[in-house]
Amino acid sequence: MSAVLVTGGTRGIGLACARLLASRGESVIAAARRPAEGPLPEGVRYLPCDVTDPASVRDAFAAAGPLGAVILAAGAAGGDPPAPDEEHWRRIVSSNLDGAWRCAEAAAPMLPDGEGRIVFLSSVLGLRAVPDQVAYSAAKHGVIGLMKALALRLAPRGITVNALCPGWVDTDMARARWGELGMTAEQAAAGTPTRRITAAEEVAEMAAYLLSPAARNVTGQAIALDGGAGL
């Protein structure tokens, strides 16, 4: 039985995706740098994988076995330091863009023709930008370009490639960012046209749709889940 591999699958959106897919009978691999803080859902197994390390990615995909789809949710966030900082730039780009490319390229030869799926996690900041997150905005814009190019490259094989672009999602990563900005979850919600923050489970539902037969002709799309924040 082929599995769905979810990078960043032990926390946040990745864990929500793993949990939902497993609840629907999928065999799921949560590939992440660190194990989950608690037990993983039934049907989910953990594989160590640091997406910034080529050898770690090779080892994880070699150990994964047959794959039907991948959800590439691993990434790092954070505002830019006051002055240009090479280490910060490399950390953000290496995790969000280089890691996404590395995993997609590892997965592509393993996916079945006519049925394979790749879903990237980009961001609303892959569709627009903010001045204090230059590295993150650049990386997430890059993910969308990567997605579109791979969608064209893999279309003849019947493999679809799409990206989800969430705005604020209620995760530890978002809470850390709110702390950096000195704001509350309520203030973040108030700045969204729908006046609510997206739940990780809602992002997981959209990822599951993109893996379903109903989405077999949906490819090359950057889908916003941001409550209208990008309008």
Side-chain angles (χ1 to χ4, degrees):
M1 178 180 178
S2 62
V4 180
L5 186 146
V6 184
T7 66
T10 59
R11 285 169 175 75
I13 293 171
L15 178 56
C17 290
R19 181 182 293 114
L20 176 67
L21 292 170
S23 75
R24 296 181 179 178
E26 297 282 359
S27 175
V28 182
I29 298 167
R33 287 185 299 163
R34 298 184 298 275
E37 293 179 353
L40 285 169
E42 184 177 353
V44 181
R45 68 182 174 105
Y46 170 69
L47 275 180
C49 181
D50 180 350
V51 301
T52 69
D53 180 349
S56 179
V57 171
R58 285 195 299 270
D59 290 346
F61 278 83
L67 295 178
V70 292
I71 299 173
L72 304 180
D80 297 331
D85 185 306
E86 181 81 18
E87 183 177 348
H88 170 79
W89 173 270
R90 288 303 330 151
R91 181 179 73 86
I92 297 296
V93 173
S94 178
S95 179
N96 291 286
L97 180 55
D98 296 347
W101 168 80
R102 196 170 284 127
C103 292
E105 293 289 15
M110 304 173 66
L111 297 175
D113 291 356
E115 298 179 357
R117 303 283 190 269
I118 298 175
V119 178
F120 290 98
L121 259 293
S122 182
S123 166
V124 67
L125 296 188
L127 300 171
R128 61 182 181 87
V130 292
D132 64 335
Q133 285 189 279
V134 172
Y136 188 76
S137 297
K140 291 302 191 180
H141 274 76
V143 168
I144 292 176
L146 169 63
M147 174 274 293
K148 290 181 177 181
L150 285 178
L152 289 173
R153 195 180 86 189
L154 296 175
R157 290 181 52 198
I159 295 172
T160 67
V161 187
N162 294 284
L164 301 180
C165 301
W168 288 126
V169 180
D170 188 11
T171 63
D172 290 343
M173 185 181 290
R175 294 183 201 108
R177 181 61 178 151
W178 296 332
E180 290 178 354
L181 295 170
M183 66 190 301
T184 65
E186 291 73 21
Q187 288 170 322
T192 301
T194 59
R195 300 295 190 268
R196 62 181 300 273
I197 292 166
T198 303
E201 291 75 16
E202 295 172 68
V203 184
E205 287 281 1
M206 183 59 74
Y209 166 72
L210 291 172
L211 267 54
S212 74
R216 62 185 177 272
N217 211 34
V218 179
T219 197
Q221 302 305 303
I223 301 169
L225 299 95
D226 62 359
L231 298 177

